[in-house]
Amino acid sequence: PGAVRTVTLELDDVPAGDHDLVVLLDSGEAVAESNESNNRLAATLSVAQQEYPADIVVEGVDAVTDGYSIWYWVELSNYGDVRTGRFYLDFYLDRSRAPTPGLEGDYYVEVASIDPWDTISFAVEVPESCWACASWFQADSLDAIDEVYEDDNVAGPVYVW
């Protein structure tokens, strides 16, 4: 009598919206009680729509040279439900390995932001300073944007001949 027990219930993959929750104890009235009417609890739960944080992905990269300049084309996408905010897209002209976060590129472009579920494109011209270059690209190299997946921010190599 008078005992209290706390039960935690975790529900996964519940869609957004209002849901009715009913808890019923001693449904078969197996326990003799002075008050059988307090064995039921009903409540409405409101589940908010889950927002996925920004996820910057370097989608498409290409390059061409005329012997004097290299033109790079890069597409960036945001596969999140929120705007990215400001970050940098770094270009690494000639590397044998993928760049790591924190490594500044040979050139960079400041990206004001990318809207949720949007793709933007860049065309950048830089002086040609290598032959048979293995170029790489890294979005958010300084880790300014909090992302769930950081491993899709790098693309390359793109070979420039």
Side-chain angles (χ1 to χ4, degrees):
V4 174
R5 178 173 290 203
T6 301
V7 176
T8 301
L9 178 65
E10 291 186 29
L11 304 172
D12 293 327
D13 299 324
V14 177
D18 291 337
H19 302 276
D20 293 325
L21 176 67
V22 177
V23 178
L24 181 61
L25 302 174
D26 191 22
S27 62
E29 296 184 5
V31 177
E33 302 176 69
S34 61
N35 183 359
E36 293 287 348
S37 67
N38 64 356
N39 290 344
R40 182 178 188 275
L41 173 68
T44 300
L45 300 176
S46 293
V47 177
Q49 178 68 40
Q50 181 178 2
E51 281 193 341
Y52 293 98
D55 180 24
I56 305 166
V57 178
V58 182
E59 297 269 57
V61 294
D62 201 2
V64 67
T65 183
D66 64 0
Y68 301 100
S69 297
I70 302 172
W71 287 271
Y72 291 106
W73 290 272
V74 181
E75 284 187 352
L76 299 175
S77 296
N78 174 10
Y79 291 115
D81 294 329
V82 297
R83 290 173 59 103
T84 62
R86 187 176 68 88
F87 65 93
Y88 294 99
L89 170 64
D90 286 78
F91 297 75
Y92 306 85
L93 293 185
D94 195 18
R95 289 185 55 82
S96 59
R97 294 183 183 188
T100 56
L103 182 64
E104 294 183 22
D106 300 308
Y107 296 93
Y108 66 89
V109 174
E110 183 176 349
V111 180
S113 70
I114 305 175
D115 287 332
W117 300 98
D118 198 8
T119 298
I120 61 174
S121 300
F122 291 94
V124 176
E125 178 185 3
V126 300
E128 184 179 282
S129 60
C130 59
W131 172 249
C133 305
S135 297
W136 293 82
F137 310 87
Q138 181 173 208
D140 193 27
S141 59
L142 301 179
D143 202 22
I145 307 302
D146 184 26
E147 301 175 73
V148 174
Y149 304 107
E150 295 284 353
D151 59 349
D152 51 8
N153 291 4
V154 174
V158 171
Y159 294 99
V160 181
W161 302 97

